[in-house]
C-alpha cells in the first residue's frame, strides 16, 4: 500500500523506470488513467506509458513542454495546452471511449475542452505498463531525454470513463471505484534509481 508515498526518480536524465502489473483480461474500449506528478523538468518527459507488441504508444501521457500535455491512444495523439505549472504538484486524468472517440483531459480537478481521438479503436490487453520512460518497443527502446525526473504518486487505471464527480474525487484523493491499477494496492517493480518515500506534504 503506497498511501501517502511517492516514487522519487532521482536522476536527470535517467534510465530508471517502474513496471506496473495490471490484471487485464480483455482489450479496453474505454479507460481512464490518473496520476500526480511533481517535477522541475522543462524538457519532454513521459509520465505513463502503456505499450503492446503491436503498438508502442497504445496509451501514453507525455509532456513535451511545461505548457502542454499529449494524450496518445493507439499511436495517435491530441494536445492539451495548459498554463505553465507553478512548480507544484499537477494532477492529471485522461479518459477515452471507443464508441465516440471522445478524449477527456482533466488538470487539477478541472476539465479541458474534449477532443476526438481514434473512434472505434480497441486498446490491446497484453501490455507493458511503465512509469518514467516512454517505450519505443514493447517494454524498452527508451530515449533518456524523454525520461521523467521528479516525484510521481496516485497512479490509477480504470477500464471505464469516470464521471465528473469521480474525476474530482481522484484529484481530491477521495474514495474511488475499483481499478485495474490502484495506488493503494499497486503491484510494481522498480528498475534502477527510483526510491519510495513518504510524501513531503499533502
Amino acid at each position: 500500500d503506497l498511501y501517502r508515498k511517492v516514487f522519487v526518480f532521482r536522476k536527470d536524465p535517467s534510465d530508471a523506470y517502474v513496471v506496473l502489473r495490471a490484471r487485464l483480461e480483455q482489450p479496453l474500449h474505454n479507460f481512464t488513467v490518473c496520476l500526480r506528478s511533481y517535477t522541475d523538468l522543462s524538457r519532454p518527459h513521459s509520465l505513463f506509458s502503456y505499450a503492446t507488441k503491436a503498438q508502442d504508444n497504445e496509451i501514453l501521457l507525455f509532456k513535451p513542454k511545461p505548457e502542454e500535455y499529449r494524450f496518445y491512444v493507439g499511436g495517435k495523439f491530441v494536445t492539451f495546452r495548459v498554463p505553465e505549472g507553478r512548480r507544484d504538484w499537477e494532477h492529471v486524468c485522461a479518459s477515452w471511449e471507443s464508441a465516440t472517440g471522445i478524449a477527456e483531459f482533466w488538470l487539477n480537478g478541472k476539465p479541458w475542452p474534449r477532443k476526438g481521438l481514434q473512434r472505434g479503436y480497441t486498446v490491446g490487453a497484453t501490455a507493458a505498463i511503465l512509469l518514467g520512460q516512454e517505450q519505443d518497443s514493447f517494454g524498452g527502446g527508451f530515449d533518456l531525454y524523454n525520461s521523467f525526473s521528479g516525484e510521481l504518486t496516485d497512479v490509477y487505471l480504470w477500464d471505464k470513463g469516470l464521471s465528473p464527480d469521480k474525476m474530482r474525487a481522484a484529484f481530491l484523493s477521495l474514495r474511488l471505484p475499483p481499478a485495474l491499477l490502484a495506488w493503494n494496492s499497486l503491484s510494481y517493480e522498480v528498475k534502477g534509481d527510483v526510491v519510495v518515500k513518504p510524501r513531503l506534504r499533502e
Side-chain angles (χ1 to χ4, degrees), residues 119-133:
R119 186 174 187 166
Y121 187 77
T122 302
V123 170
T126 309
I129 308 175
L130 306 188
L131 302 176
Q133 298 285 352

Side-chain angles (χ1 to χ4, degrees), residues 77-141:
F77 70 89
V78 285
T79 297
F80 294 93
R81 296 185 208 299
V82 300
E84 190 164 338
R86 300 182 306 284
R87 298 287 179 248
D88 201 351
W89 284 97
E90 288 190 0
H91 184 266
V92 296
C93 287
S95 80
W96 172 82
E97 67 180 19
S98 175
T100 59
I102 289 284
E104 272 185 40
F105 181 83
W106 291 66
L107 176 67
N108 295 335
K110 296 191 183 69
W112 255 233
R114 286 171 276 200
K115 302 198 172 184
L117 181 64
Q118 290 285 57
R119 186 174 187 166
Y121 187 77
T122 302
V123 170
T126 309
I129 308 175
L130 306 188
L131 302 176
Q133 298 285 352
E134 192 251 314
Q135 303 176 73
D136 284 330
S137 57
F138 186 74

Side-chain angles (χ1 to χ4, degrees), residues 62-74:
F62 191 77
K63 205 166 182 199
K65 49 189 171 196
E67 63 280 2
E68 195 176 290
Y69 280 90
R70 277 187 199 164
F71 176 33
Y72 286 76
V73 176

Side-chain angles (χ1 to χ4, degrees), residues 50-67:
Y50 176 119
T52 58
K53 290 200 164 72
Q55 175 52 255
D56 56 351
N57 294 334
E58 192 74 277
I59 303 172
L60 176 64
L61 266 180
F62 191 77
K63 205 166 182 199
K65 49 189 171 196
E67 63 280 2

